[in-house]
Amino acid sequence: MTHTIIHNVRVVQEQSVLELGWVVVQNDCIIAIGSAEDQLPELPEDTVKLDGAGAYLVPGFIDIHVHGGAGEDFMTAKQEELDTITRFHMENGTTAMLATTVTGANEHLTAVIDAVQQYQQRPMPYAQLVGVHLEGPFVNPKWKGAQNESYMIEPQLPWLEAWVKDYPGIIKMQTLAPEINGAPAYIKALTEAGIVAALGHTDAHYADVQEAVKSGLTHAVHTFNAMRGLHHREPGTVGAVLTTPGITAEIIADGEHVHPVAVQLMLLAKGVDGIVLVTDAMSAAGMPDGEYMLGELPVVVTDNIARLKEGGSLAGSTLTMIRGFQFLIRELGISVVEASRIASLNPAKVIGLDQQYGSIAVGKRADLLLLDGEFAIQSVIIGGEVRI
């Protein structure tokens, strides 16, 4: 049994910052939190002591929409490639993540689910793969974005039934277009299976989204992107997402996918607790400009902006969670507490893991980041173990 105390830190909790705080970790779990005025619990002589020297201590980031990084893509990744992706994102503050697919054939998607299940069966040395996010293939070609139209089909309930039977608990979320044939029944089946039903790549009208919510839809991927926009006589998908309390909304906070003013509008409409930071990062994240693949589609990255080689649509991103976190604070002026909820607690809540992940609280996993005064990463702790 190992004990660690992280002291002389500004502990960023769900509602406030505990100045001159300390956190005690036993193995992989937080067992005590206090300030300089509180008496430390009795600890073994061999307790590891980490002096944070006034740094911020924040919960590790949770990325529920990420396709790859460091030159690798979840669609083709095996165990070694999964190490590469999870190591890169860990180095940029992500401590838990969902392996996210693009549209593909049944066998392609099943292969990703299978690879993640196998990866979970051994100790994961870097960011934890807590499940899979299937982005498609049951989406609308009209808003295909950087998805391969040739694989877009109507929802297939037998596929879902087989996945749930063969890979219980692995799929955490699936993105689909709620207006296409068969979507309401599929959304209901997702909900009954404990899988988050999310909208994306959709031409849904406002009324379509309201009906989908009745069936169990609760989330929107990369809000504003690849969906019917807001019009004053037809609020569309965006209008429904912004005004429906039961929908949480992802944001790619890189200043390219969504203008900062639109993000401010989201904050006004949804509040801090209704927004989730994601990267939507592809294989080019962490790599030089050049040509890459997103699934089977060629992508060109110029000045860190990824676009399809044919047509020029934005193709995922090269964003990291730490950069998105910094963007929220620097460009939007929100507090470190609010940014932490958007990057850690809110995504944990979306996928039902907030009892273990997402905030610094007694009883939760010790997945933590030390950030300096400029919010640069000093150290990454996963499961109570210092990884960086």
Side-chain angles (χ1 to χ4, degrees), residues 65-184:
H65 190 161
V66 50
H67 296 280
E72 303 294 348
D73 189 314
F74 280 123
M75 289 297 290
T76 54
K78 301 303 180 187
Q79 305 306 290
E80 184 177 344
E81 291 84 1
L82 293 178
D83 275 346
T84 298
I85 296 170
T86 55
R87 180 174 58 244
F88 167 74
H89 285 288
M90 176 199 72
E91 292 168 350
N92 288 278
T94 298
T95 56
M97 59 199 298
L98 295 183
T100 305
T101 68
V102 292
T103 55
N106 180 288
E107 59 267 27
H108 300 154
L109 304 179
T110 302
V112 176
I113 299 167
D114 185 75
V116 171
Q117 185 188 64
Q118 291 185 46
Y119 195 70
Q120 290 180 340
Q121 291 173 356
R122 65 178 178 87
M124 291 180 278
Y126 309 114
Q128 307 295 283
L129 278 184
V130 295
V132 170
H133 170 186
L134 299 174
E135 188 178 7
F138 315 133
V139 292
N140 194 322
K142 182 176 179 179
W143 294 94
K144 61 184 178 181
Q147 301 276 350
N148 193 332
E149 183 176 352
S150 64
Y151 292 113
M152 295 179 182
I153 59 174
E154 294 180 358
Q156 303 293 309
L157 280 170
W159 293 17
L160 178 61
E161 291 165 357
W163 288 330
V164 171
K165 176 179 176 292
D166 296 338
Y167 303 98
I170 299 296
I171 303 172
K172 300 298 184 188
M173 179 185 298
Q174 185 163 17
T175 296
L176 75 164
E179 74 278 9
I180 64 177
N181 291 335

Side-chain angles (χ1 to χ4, degrees), residues 327-350:
F327 181 93
L328 292 174
I329 295 171
R330 294 170 181 169
E331 301 298 324
L332 301 180
I334 70 173
S335 71
V336 64
V337 170
E338 293 169 326
S340 177
R341 296 215 301 273
I342 292 171
S344 303
L345 183 59
N346 294 355
K349 286 182 175 180
V350 167

